[in-house]
Amino acid sequence: MAWHFENNLPIYTQILEQIRLGIISGVYPAGSKLPSVRELASEASVNPNTMQRALAELEQSGLIFTQRTAGRFVTEDLDMIEKLKKNIAEEQIRKFFQSMLELGFTEEETVQLMEKAVKETKL
């Protein structure tokens, strides 16, 4: 997984979001074993403590779990993953509509632009 970090947010929150996206997009499928903290930290070029903090928060949310001596795994709760996926999508849509409103577009104009883009890209 490629890691990209911005300067405007704490690294651990960005790690958290990138792993969440990895889970909902299938990079880390339900029930799969995650790489170790050290492997992930090395891959992302961050301190293992930073990675541990992000993973601990994911564990508190129930998205991942630890099996003693076996490592960390992605939840097998497909409903939880799907709900998270929809929540993130809805948040992105709200942000998009807000940005379009700030640009001076009405909701109807924004929807028309979206429909045009969908037809042109044939999603």
Side-chain angles (χ1 to χ4, degrees):
M1 186 163 113
W3 298 89
H4 304 284
F5 299 114
E6 305 282 329
N7 290 331
N8 60 341
L9 292 171
I11 297 292
Y12 92 94
T13 60
Q14 294 179 68
I15 291 169
L16 182 76
E17 287 307 311
Q18 289 185 41
I19 294 174
R20 276 187 188 144
L21 290 175
I23 291 170
I24 65 171
S25 69
V27 171
Y28 302 119
S32 67
K33 185 179 188 306
L34 291 174
S36 71
V37 171
R38 289 192 190 282
E39 289 173 296
L40 286 170
S42 176
E43 185 182 301
S45 300
V46 299
N47 185 299
N49 292 332
T50 303
M51 185 61 69
Q52 175 62 34
R53 182 175 178 190
L55 292 172
E57 197 162 318
L58 285 168
E59 196 163 348
Q60 283 181 333
S61 74
L63 201 53
I64 66 173
F65 63 94
T66 300
Q67 282 187 346
R68 201 171 183 174
T69 71
R72 285 191 170 91
F73 294 82
V74 176
T75 183
E76 294 177 354
D77 186 346
L78 297 176
D79 289 335
M80 175 189 277
I81 294 171
E82 190 61 30
K83 184 177 178 182
L84 177 62
K85 185 176 185 175
K86 286 180 182 178
N87 287 345
I88 290 173
E90 289 170 357
E91 181 182 329
Q92 292 296 317
I93 291 167
R94 280 191 294 276
K95 286 180 183 178
F96 171 73
F97 268 97
Q98 184 60 42
S99 295
M100 294 302 284
L101 289 171
E102 290 170 5
L103 288 172
F105 288 96
T106 65
E107 289 179 21
E108 294 78 20
E109 291 170 326
T110 301
V111 169
Q112 288 172 354
L113 288 170
M114 289 174 50
E115 288 172 347
K116 180 181 175 194
V118 168
K119 287 178 185 174
E120 290 173 355
T121 57
K122 301 194 189 256
L123 293 175

